[in-house]
Amino acid sequence: MKLVYRMQFKLLATFMLVILVAIGTVALFVGRSAKEGVEEFEELSEQLHMARMEQMLSGYYFQGWAGVQSLVKEMSYLYSRRIVLTDGYGTVIGDSSENLLGKTFVSDWPSQALVSADGKALLGTLYVSPEPSAETVLTERLGESINRFLLWGGGLAMIVALVLTLILSRRISAPLHSLATTARRLGQGDFSQRARIRDKGELGELAQAFNFMAGNLERADKLRRNLIADTAHELRSPLYNIRGYIEAIQDGVMEPDAKTIGFINEEVTLLCRLVDDLKELALAEAGELKLSCQPERVADVIHHALAAIRPRAEAKGLSLSAHVPDELPMVRADFQRVVQVLRNLLENAITHTAKGGSVAVTARLEDGWVEVSVADNGEGIPEDELPYIFERFHRVDKSRTRATGGSGLGLTIAKYLIEAHGGRIQVQSALGKGSRFSFTLPIWTFNATNSP
């Protein structure tokens, strides 16, 4: 649960910070813009009022300022400001408060000089008190309202952010908590654990990827356990046989003659072959297989493999044939390694084909590759076994022993060897109808190198 709380706190802190920055930025720019707009409006409004009053008062000069006091009072009421009008000598001839009439007035209030049409004679001076007008008060209230709305909006956004954070954090952190718990259990060796997340978005994809990884880990762990068990079993059988022969000789049950030594040598040979296969498999899985690729004729590779395997096929009463077109191009291959792969496929075909059956090797050009296949009409492979046929120590017939079924490493090594050449190996089979193993080799080109 600590993960959930940490996630909620981080999301809340992040949202709050974003909102504060956003509201602060908006308030800064809106406040500054509002202030500049208010000041500009007040300045323009003041200029407009002065111009209007100047226009209205100028006409009274030619009437000897008669009735100007009434006009000054009306303008004061209209603009909510105290207004004082002096003549050209500074004597007050109009006062909205009527306190300064007939007196000399000099002030630092905002003023506007009334001049003649030619601009040479001073007719009078208009003074307006500097206290805020009704318009100024309204604009100030408008600015306060904007700030107040920003403050309330920010508070409301904070509340909404808090609610959304709680909802979103639970929606995000709960699956993450499930993934973390499952990951810890996987780390403790329980590879059966899976993340149960029904989200269809990014978290769902993450859970699917996690479960796929967990499945691969479970499978890899199972293969590792099987590898250890199978390797121990495969090594134990010849070792126990050798030990049995030696104990029999020591007890006088068997004579240490050539026949007994031959039995022991056969077991040692099988043991050495298994160890060599394991070493070769380790090199292949580590990507350290060394190949010596040269331009080779596919026909030579096939005939070399058939020559080595033919006596065994004839001894079992099988028909062994090859179909290799003469016009096939040269391939880039390690001769010995490809012969090793082909012999392994042929040995498997002979082992799983009954007396009187047939085994055929075919080569053909396909999509810029040379495909070599080994087909038989033997017992075939069950469909559910096909995906695992190239796995180490895998045997279709679990009852087969090391002597009749091999070590179970041949096809795995063959797969690595062909892939090291840049090709691929695959199988098609039907139970009771036989099997067809095929692999591809790259065509030799003049710019090809000697390494795959």
Side-chain angles (χ1 to χ4, degrees):
M1 294 300 293
K2 291 182 178 180
L3 175 64
V4 177
Y5 294 143
R6 287 199 301 268
M7 178 66 68
Q8 290 177 347
F9 176 76
K10 289 180 180 179
L11 286 175
L12 179 61
T14 302
F15 282 156
M16 292 301 181
L17 180 60
V18 171
I19 291 174
L20 285 174
V21 172
I23 293 178
T25 304
V26 171
L28 177 63
F29 284 102
V30 170
R32 180 175 296 179
S33 298
K35 182 179 180 181
E36 293 177 355
V38 168
E39 291 176 353
E40 183 178 358
F41 174 78
E42 289 179 349
E43 183 178 353
L44 291 176
S45 178
E46 188 71 23
Q47 293 176 359
L48 179 61
H49 292 166
M50 285 291 191
R52 287 180 178 177
M53 287 187 288
E54 178 186 4
Q55 184 179 9
M56 295 172 65
L57 292 172
S58 297
Y60 282 82
Y61 172 77
F62 299 100
Q63 301 176 8
W65 300 112
V68 72
Q69 173 64 21
S70 299
L71 179 61
V72 168
K73 295 184 68 174
E74 290 179 6
M75 289 190 299
S76 175
Y77 177 78
L78 180 63
Y79 297 118
S80 302
R81 309 276 287 278
R82 183 180 179 183
I83 299 175
V84 176
L85 175 65
T86 62
D87 59 14
Y89 302 100
T91 302
V92 176
I93 57 176
D95 179 11
S96 59
S97 297
E98 300 181 353
N99 296 328
L100 301 175
L101 291 175
K103 298 179 181 180
T104 303
F105 181 78
V106 178
S107 176
D108 57 354
W109 290 2
S111 60
Q112 176 68 37
L114 306 180
V115 297
S116 60
D118 57 6
K120 295 181 178 180
L122 177 63
L123 305 182
T125 304
L126 175 66
Y127 295 92
V128 179
S129 63
E131 65 264 13
S133 64
E135 294 176 348
T136 301
V137 173
L138 289 176
T139 53
E140 289 178 353
R141 290 179 180 177
L142 176 61
E144 293 175 356
S145 298
I146 293 175
N147 292 331
R148 185 166 56 252
F149 280 121
L150 286 174
L151 181 61
W152 281 104
L156 180 61
M158 290 291 185
I159 297 174
V160 173
L162 179 61
V163 175
L164 290 179
T165 299
L166 293 176
I167 297 174
L168 186 60
S169 62
R170 289 182 180 179
R171 184 177 179 85
I172 295 176
S173 59
L176 292 179
H177 177 67
S178 175
L179 284 175
T181 302
T182 306
R184 280 193 293 269
R185 292 175 180 174
L186 282 175
Q188 294 170 356
D190 185 2
F191 296 106
S192 64
Q193 293 294 317
R194 296 293 184 273
R196 293 175 175 82
I197 298 176
R198 298 181 180 179
D199 192 285
K200 296 182 179 180
E202 291 79 2
L203 288 175
E205 294 181 5
L206 177 62
Q208 291 179 359
F210 182 88
N211 289 337
F212 180 76
M213 177 196 69
N216 287 339
L217 288 175
E218 183 178 21
R219 183 171 179 78
D221 182 67
K222 183 178 179 180
L223 289 175
R224 179 184 63 82
R225 295 175 185 270
N226 291 341
L227 174 62
I228 295 174
D230 290 338
T231 302
H233 174 74
E234 296 296 334
L235 292 173
R236 180 180 58 188
S237 297
L239 287 174
Y240 275 25
N241 288 340
I242 294 172
R243 179 181 177 182
Y245 286 128
I246 294 176
E247 288 179 351
I249 293 173
Q250 289 176 339
D251 294 339
V253 177
M254 297 182 66
E255 295 293 332
D257 52 16
K259 183 178 180 181
T260 304
I261 294 175
F263 289 149
I264 296 176
N265 182 65
E266 181 181 349
E267 296 297 332
V268 171
T269 301
L270 291 173
L271 185 61
C272 290
R273 186 175 67 181
L274 176 60
V275 172
D276 290 341
D277 286 347
L278 287 171
K279 179 181 179 181
E280 193 164 27
L281 179 61
L283 290 174
E285 289 183 335
E288 296 180 0
L289 276 176
K290 303 299 182 182
L291 300 181
S292 178
C293 292
Q294 301 291 336
E296 303 287 352
R297 294 179 66 248
V298 176
D300 294 341
V301 176
I302 294 175
H303 292 152
H304 188 87
L306 289 176
I309 206 71
R310 192 177 297 278
R312 182 181 171 189
E314 292 177 351
K316 194 173 181 180
L318 300 179
S319 172
L320 195 60
S321 61
H323 307 279
V324 184
D326 295 333
E327 65 275 10
L328 281 180
M330 304 281 278
V331 295
R332 180 170 60 88
D334 184 318
F335 185 88
Q336 296 298 330
R337 292 296 193 179
V338 178
V339 169
Q340 177 184 350
V341 172
L342 193 53
R343 284 189 59 178
N344 181 273
L345 297 180
L346 288 169
E347 288 175 357
N348 287 342
I350 292 172
T351 299
H352 297 280
T353 302
K355 182 179 180 180
S358 63
V359 177
V361 182
T362 305
R364 63 175 182 172
L365 183 63
E366 182 181 9
D367 297 331
W369 297 77
V370 173
E371 182 190 70
V372 180
S373 62
V374 176
D376 63 68
N377 57 357
E379 58 193 43
I381 304 171
E383 184 178 357
D384 58 346
E385 297 282 352
L386 290 177
Y388 314 109
I389 199 68
F390 294 105
E391 291 185 356
R392 60 173 77 91
F393 292 117
H394 181 80
R395 292 193 183 95
V396 175
D397 186 353
K398 306 300 187 291
S399 65
R400 287 187 178 271
T401 64
R402 168 182 45 82
T404 59
S407 66
L409 297 175
L411 288 178
T412 305
I413 295 174
K415 178 177 179 292
Y416 278 111
L417 288 174
I418 294 302
E419 289 178 349
H421 281 82
R424 71 182 187 279
I425 186 170
Q426 54 190 356
V427 58
Q428 295 90 32
S429 184
L431 195 61
K433 296 182 180 181
S435 304
R436 179 180 181 271
F437 285 83
S438 61
F439 61 87
T440 57
L441 294 171
I443 295 175
W444 176 269
T445 56
F446 290 105
N447 60 351
T449 62
N450 291 336
S451 59

